[in-house]
Amino acid sequence: MNQKSCLNCGHSVSDEFCPHCGQKTDTARITPKSIIKNDILGSIWHVEARFFNTLKDIIFRPGKTAMDYIAGKRIRYNNFIPLLLVLFSFNVLGLHYYEKFAPPEVLADDSGIKDFLSRYSKAILFIIIPMLAVNAYFLFRRINLNIAEHFIIGTVSLLGILTLFLLDDIVSLISLWKPVSKIFNIIDKALFAVSVLFPALTYWNAFKSSYTIPGLTWRIIVLYILMVSESAVIGLILYEIF
């Protein structure tokens, strides 16, 4: 086997990456072509491909994605916490531009929900995941996951919701274009319905091989009852405080 030394740390290497520092062994002379191909286009493609692969897996197989991540299969995914903040920022921007371009009568119809989300969005973001994690920890004890691992599943669930909300923001902006507003109004309602059901889809996808259909069904129903009850209590507390 051909052995050579890593140009960064001097460690003996025989593969594509140094096992000691992680640098690629292919460190040829830098040229204008290599900068464009590898450093610029390669980096952009790697970041974008990983980002969209992560979102795709979260939308179409959220529970499996969370369980793979917990099991250590993480190289194909963006870190979930920074991704959560990115999607949250995109949602804030989407809401901002919707409020900027929507006519006053449309904003008047949405004012209660929009105002609540804009005022308490950060609280909602940081409350949903712990609520999901704690409730699921007690409801799905057979899986033998710790609270931090349930936190990951809750994070994936919220990532899916934020992705759907972002698509909904885009659809809402497009729906301001009157000739196609009816079509996009239907899509808007469908996206909202899926976002409400997304935690159920996440836990079903994650645990469907570990429980019977009735056993998984009643646990998910109880999870929703707990989430709605706890959210109502938190909403009342926020209302009283502010």
Side-chain angles (χ1 to χ4, degrees):
M1 186 177 292
N2 185 26
Q3 293 276 348
K4 55 184 179 180
S5 297
C6 172
L7 297 179
N8 182 57
C9 67
H11 196 83
S12 179
V13 294
S14 58
D15 212 335
E16 185 179 358
F17 295 92
C18 173
H20 185 257
C21 70
Q23 177 171 281
K24 292 188 69 171
T25 55
D26 180 19
T27 51
R29 186 175 182 182
I30 296 173
T31 64
K33 181 180 178 181
S34 72
I35 287 179
I36 295 172
K37 180 180 178 182
N38 299 325
D39 295 346
I40 299 176
L41 296 180
S43 297
I44 293 173
W45 170 253
H46 177 72
V47 171
E48 287 189 347
R50 199 172 184 185
F51 177 80
F52 287 112
N53 280 333
T54 303
L55 293 186
K56 180 193 72 175
D57 284 354
I58 285 172
I59 289 296
F60 290 106
R61 49 171 209 156
K64 182 68 165 54
T65 298
M67 295 304 286
D68 282 349
Y69 193 89
I70 290 168
K73 301 175 183 178
R74 301 169 189 171
I75 189 65
R76 67 178 277 115
Y77 303 122
N78 283 109
N79 188 291
F80 292 152
I81 303 302
L83 184 59
L84 192 70
L85 299 176
V86 169
L87 286 176
F88 177 70
S89 300
F90 284 163
N91 273 273
V92 171
L93 283 174
L95 179 61
H96 167 74
Y97 282 108
Y98 178 79
E99 291 177 338
K100 180 178 180 179
F101 294 114
E105 61 272 16
V106 173
L107 290 176
D109 292 337
D110 297 340
S111 60
I113 297 174
K114 299 290 184 182
D115 181 62
F116 181 84
L117 289 175
S118 62
R119 290 179 63 187
Y120 304 123
S121 55
K122 291 182 180 179
I124 293 168
L125 176 68
F126 289 107
I127 288 171
I128 286 179
I129 296 175
M131 283 169 53
L132 281 171
V134 172
N135 291 328
Y137 176 78
F138 290 104
L139 287 170
F140 300 101
R141 294 300 296 270
R142 183 189 302 176
I143 309 300
N144 200 29
L145 297 176
N146 62 42
I147 193 69
E149 290 165 333
H150 277 290
F151 188 92
I152 293 297
I153 300 174
T155 300
V156 169
S157 186
L158 183 57
L159 281 168
I161 293 171
L162 288 176
T163 302
L164 292 168
F165 278 1
L166 182 58
L167 292 174
D168 191 42
D169 288 339
I170 295 170
V171 168
S172 295
L173 285 167
I174 297 174
S175 71
L176 298 176
W177 183 29
K178 295 300 182 181
V180 294
S181 60
K182 291 183 179 179
I183 298 173
F184 284 98
N185 190 42
I186 295 172
I187 298 173
D188 176 73
K189 287 180 171 58
L191 285 171
F192 180 76
V194 174
S195 67
V196 171
L197 294 173
F198 200 81
L201 298 173
T202 301
Y203 287 100
W204 190 279
N205 186 236
F207 301 142
K208 62 184 178 181
S209 61
S210 302
Y211 291 93
T212 63
I213 291 177
L216 190 53
T217 300
W218 77 256
R219 284 174 172 84
I220 289 175
I221 291 172
V222 172
L223 178 67
Y224 269 73
I225 293 172
L226 291 172
M227 292 290 292
V228 170
S229 302
E230 292 160 358
S231 298
V233 171
I234 292 170
L236 286 173
I237 293 172
L238 289 174
Y239 181 79
E240 290 295 330
I241 293 175
F242 299 101

